[in-house]
Each structure stands twice: as structure tokens, then as C-alpha cells.
Amino acid sequence: MRRIGTALAAMMLAGGGLLAGTVPAVAAVPTAVDCAVTWGSLDKTGDSVASRRLTDVRTGQHECFDRLVFDAQGAAADPIGYTVRYVDVLHQDPSDVVVPIKGGAILEISLFSPRYDPATGQPYPPLPSVDVTGYRTFREFKVTGGSEGYTQAGLGVRARLPFRVFQTANHLVVDVAHTW
């Protein structure tokens, strides 16, 4: 009787081991995102042949960068002209008044986009304000001025970090990396 009990116990352990072998011992670990960037922090410019009216501005947070997006009217293939650069102090165009902006560094964004209807001289509705509270890199965003077919904005960021600017359809995108 004792042999049968020992044999049953051995079979149960062996069977349990077979069943346990089908279940992974360690859960899969998600792969880490590579946040290495090669963008740099020098001035970025893009040419356009015609001005494009800005219709919206919005922001978003990503794992490796914070994103600012300007939406423009017109054909998607038309380039949106811009200059984006770090400045020590943001001066409002055209008054040259200093615009205070939160952050350890300031990106000045100039867009070839009037703030008024060139045909009538009437101002376009203002772009909405965006709240960047809690963002990892962004500290404050302000549309600050503009003249002669340009719109100027300031983006306060945590530090002088790499950034990139590109257009996709009717959107001009400014990404600022979280780290070097």
C-alpha cells in the first residue's frame, strides 16, 4: 500500500511539473523607448511662398518630448514659413517690449502667418491659450505679437534642450526633447 501511495505522489508531482512548465515563470518586460535625439538646439527655418492663416494651437506630451502644434488654413502641400530659435529675452514684435515667460530657456517662434485678414485688415480670432501645467519640458506658451504678415509666439521650456520643427499636412509641429 505504501508503494502505491509513493507512486501516486510521484505521478502527481511529475504531472504538476508538466503543467507548471507551460506557464511562463517571468512576465514579459516591455521594451524601453530609445529617447536619444539628434535634433540639436540651433535655429530652424522653413520657407513658404504664401502666408497661411493659423486656426488653432495645441500641445501634447510624449514619452521623449513635449509637442506644440500650429494648425494652418490652406492647401496641405503649401509650406508653412517659420523661424524657431532660442533667445535670451523675448521681445514683442513690433513694439520691442520685453515679454516675461516662465522657464530656464525661451524659444521664439515666428510664423509667416498674418494675425489679420490681408484683404479687409480685420483681425482674425485670437489663437486659444494652451495650458502646459504638468508638462515635463514646457513651462509656458504665449502668442505675443506680430506684424507685416507674421505671428510671433514664445515657448518657455525647462532648459535649452534639443528641438525639431516639421510640417505634416496643415500642421507645423515643434517638439522639444526632455533630455539631451
Side-chain angles (χ1 to χ4, degrees):
M1 197 54 140
R2 185 172 178 186
R3 283 189 213 173
I4 294 175
T6 304
L8 281 174
M11 287 176 30
M12 288 177 62
L13 287 174
L18 289 174
L19 290 176
T22 62
V23 177
V26 178
V29 178
T31 57
V33 173
D34 181 9
C35 288
V37 296
T38 58
W39 308 335
S41 61
L42 298 178
D43 300 1
K44 316 266 190 298
T45 60
D47 294 326
S48 68
V49 292
S51 65
R52 310 252 327 254
R53 176 183 170 209
L54 298 176
T55 58
D56 197 10
V57 63
R58 54 203 156 83
T59 60
Q61 299 180 66
H62 295 264
E63 191 165 343
C64 300
F65 54 87
D66 289 346
R67 174 168 282 177
L68 176 68
V69 179
F70 293 94
D71 296 332
Q73 221 173 29
D78 293 340
I80 301 168
Y82 64 87
T83 299
V84 182
R85 65 189 182 122
Y86 278 106
V87 294
D88 294 328
V89 177
L90 185 61
H91 293 271
Q92 184 180 36
D93 182 26
S95 70
D96 207 33
V97 170
V98 172
V99 178
I101 194 157
K102 297 174 189 170
I106 302 166
L107 277 173
E108 178 184 48
I109 303 165
S110 297
L111 302 160
F112 189 43
S113 175
R115 298 185 64 202
Y116 57 89
D117 183 335
T120 66
Q122 295 299 309
Y124 289 132
L127 291 173
S129 61
V130 292
D131 182 9
V132 294
T133 303
Y135 278 57
R136 186 166 167 192
T137 296
F138 291 173
R139 295 296 179 256
E140 184 174 21
F141 172 77
K142 292 181 181 179
V143 176
T144 57
S147 66
E148 300 178 10
Y150 284 87
T151 296
Q152 178 195 40
L155 179 62
V157 296
R158 182 172 45 82
R160 189 179 177 122
L161 294 161
F163 69 97
R164 67 179 172 183
V165 182
F166 63 93
Q167 181 176 342
T168 175
N170 282 337
H171 316 289
L172 186 74
V173 178
V174 179
D175 291 336
V176 183
H178 292 156
T179 62
W180 273 100

